[in-house]
Amino acid sequence: MLDKIKQLQEEIGTLVAKSKEETEQLRIKYLSKKGSISQLFDEFKNVPSEMKREIGQALNILKNQATERINDLKETFEEQGNETGSVDLTMPGDSMKPGTRHPISLVKNEISEIFNRLGFKIAEGPEIEDDWHVFSALNFPLEHPARDMQDTFFIEKDPDVLLRTHTSSVQVRVMEHTQPPIRAIFPGRVFRNEAISARAHCFFHQVEGLYVDENVSFSDLRQTLLYFAKEMFGEDTSIRLRPSYFPFTEPSAEMDISCSICGGKGCAMCKGTGWVEILGCGMVDPAVLDSCGIDSKKYTGFAFGMGVERITNLKYQVKDLRLFFENDVRFLKQFESAY
Ligand code: DAH
């Protein structure tokens, strides 16, 4: 019996087939119920018990080898997709699914386009920043508690190298190099040292806006933001500005829009109030203009900053922020036709 096993093993080592059918013939010859290997298994019951262990092991090895070899052959023909084993070059190619834009990119682009229509140009700044551009030039005094409001990732201390906590830093960079009129928006990624949860992440995206010229007023700010809200969330959207505080704007405000989910009736998104906050804004503090080399006696300006994830949530009602950053294609594919 051992000899027979050996002989079959040699045979199997050299098996070849020219087609799927031939492979099937081989399977029948060796592995089907009447196949030569199965027959050996039938004969196994007659093996004297002292030999059973050795022969049993050899038989199992043989069966595994044969199964593996025949499966390999089968696979070659399946991969080639045709039975002669050659490739048909006239077959049409596999269609490729185009990729989809990430929802954050979709919304960031949409925000940019809306402000483009009002003449705002796009500018970008570095993610790795220094203290001056993120805090000092924006009127955060050294010991100002507002610096603690934003838990900062420091790369180096003294001189400070840090990841920007907001895109307001780009305001400073642009004003340092450009004289008014300035009308621009700054989309980008920002970083804060926060524990990751459904509602917070250590990085996210903002779009900052800046308009500096002679005679820019708070009503210009209001009208610009109203236009944005209606373009983004629909003609029926209304806005309200609540007084607030930011070191770099005076006066400052936070802007709510009428809830785009319930239309203002009250729902979980707006916690029953009918309003949801979407951005911070205000008139650029004259001290900031001066820090950046712009004459605050001649020029005034407004600025605003919004979170892209927040706007995306309102548009698409994504409940868990982490979904934006895991890049699970099952999530991303849902935005295929979004834009
Ligand atoms: N930088 C602020 C933040 O990250 C947002 C902001 C508020 C930007 C008011 C502005 C502004 O330009 O005027 O929370």
Side-chain angles (χ1 to χ4, degrees):
M1 182 118 170
L2 272 177
D3 287 344
K4 251 194 207 159
I5 293 175
K6 229 188 189 149
Q7 184 201 331
L8 277 173
Q9 250 174 339
E10 273 164 24
E11 250 179 76
I12 280 159
T14 58
L15 279 190
V16 280
K18 284 203 211 71
S19 66
K20 232 178 183 173
E21 255 105 54
E22 275 189 34
T23 314
E24 179 60 12
Q25 294 299 328
L26 292 175
R27 191 194 64 77
I28 293 170
K29 180 171 170 200
Y30 293 103
L31 292 169
S32 69
K33 265 204 178 129
K34 296 238 160 73
S36 43
I37 295 177
S38 311
Q39 267 170 14
L40 287 181
F41 272 93
D42 287 343
E43 286 165 28
F44 183 65
K45 52 181 178 294
N46 307 325
V47 169
S49 52
E50 67 274 15
M51 299 283 287
K52 269 204 154 72
R53 195 184 148 89
E54 191 186 355
I55 292 186
Q57 272 176 355
L59 258 181
N60 278 328
I61 290 172
L62 173 69
K63 186 175 174 195
N64 288 342
Q65 270 177 345
T67 315
E68 217 171 274
R69 179 74 197 133
I70 286 168
N71 281 346
D72 279 354
L73 285 171
K74 236 197 240 165
E75 250 171 51
T76 353
F77 294 116
E78 268 158 22
E79 267 166 26
Q80 288 177 355
N82 96 21
E83 297 181 0
T84 60
S86 65
V87 179
D88 179 358
L89 295 174
T90 64
M91 291 254 286
D94 290 337
S95 68
M96 247 201 284
K97 278 233 162 218
T100 59
R101 281 205 198 284
H102 193 283
I104 295 295
S105 303
L106 287 172
V107 171
K108 195 178 70 181
N109 293 348
E110 197 176 344
I111 297 170
S112 303
E113 272 172 32
I114 294 170
F115 283 104
N116 268 176
R117 297 204 277 277
L118 292 174
F120 285 76
K121 297 275 173 284
I122 297 175
E124 282 182 3
E127 292 177 347
I128 299 174
E129 266 293 7
D130 50 36
D131 175 274
W132 170 255
H133 292 94
V134 177
F135 295 124
S136 297
L138 287 166
N139 215 21
F140 290 79
L142 263 186
E143 301 307 325
H144 197 289
R147 285 185 192 235
D148 299 329
M149 263 161 52
Q150 299 172 330
D151 289 50
T152 309
F153 283 116
F154 283 92
I155 297 170
E156 272 168 34
K157 270 284 199 190
D158 219 11
D160 287 332
V161 180
L162 48 96
L163 297 179
R164 66 181 177 195
T165 56
H166 53 182
T167 42
S168 305
S169 55
V170 192
Q171 276 190 39
V172 179
R173 291 200 172 263
V174 168
M175 286 194 283
E176 279 174 340
H177 295 108
T178 330
Q179 280 301 305
I182 299 170
R183 192 160 36 174
I185 53 163
F186 320 119
R189 191 163 50 160
V190 301
F191 305 83
R192 290 186 197 175
N193 192 358
E194 295 199 30
I196 296 171
S197 71
R199 312 201 55 203
H201 210 284
C202 57
F203 65 83
F204 52 97
H205 300 77
Q206 289 187 331
V207 175
E208 181 87 7
L210 177 70
Y211 181 27
V212 186
D213 202 351
E214 289 178 43
N215 301 319
V216 175
S217 70
F218 198 91
S219 50
D220 294 327
L221 169 63
R222 189 179 189 286
Q223 205 56 29
T224 303
L225 294 178
L226 177 63
Y227 173 80
F228 165 71
K230 285 179 180 289
E231 288 293 295
M232 192 76 202
F233 296 104
E235 191 49 37
D236 298 333
T237 311
S238 37
I239 62 168
R240 78 177 181 187
L241 290 161
R242 281 178 293 102
S244 183
Y245 172 76
F246 299 100
F248 36 93
T249 41
E250 182 59 37
S252 305
E254 275 165 324
M255 185 176 97
D256 300 338
I257 57 165
S258 50
C259 181
S260 58
I261 313 278
C262 63
K265 285 190 214 74
C267 68
M269 181 61 102
C270 59
K271 301 196 185 82
T273 65
W275 296 94
V276 279
E277 184 198 320
I278 63 161
L279 56 80
C281 59
M283 300 306 291
V284 181
D285 194 306
V288 174
L289 294 175
D290 290 334
S291 293
C292 300
I294 289 176
D295 183 356
S296 63
K297 296 210 175 58
K298 186 165 174 206
Y299 296 109
T300 52
F302 67 68
F304 56 86
M306 67 186 89
V308 182
E309 281 75 4
R310 176 121 187 98
I311 310 267
T312 310
N313 272 343
L314 283 171
K315 256 193 113 83
Y316 296 116
Q317 294 164 54
V318 177
K319 298 228 163 56
D320 190 329
L321 203 57
R322 289 168 291 198
L323 284 168
F324 289 132
F325 307 119
E326 283 161 359
N327 285 331
D328 185 327
V329 280
R330 290 168 301 179
F331 171 70
L332 297 177
K333 257 180 27 198
Q334 298 174 77
F335 299 89
E336 233 161 30
S337 56
Y339 210 50

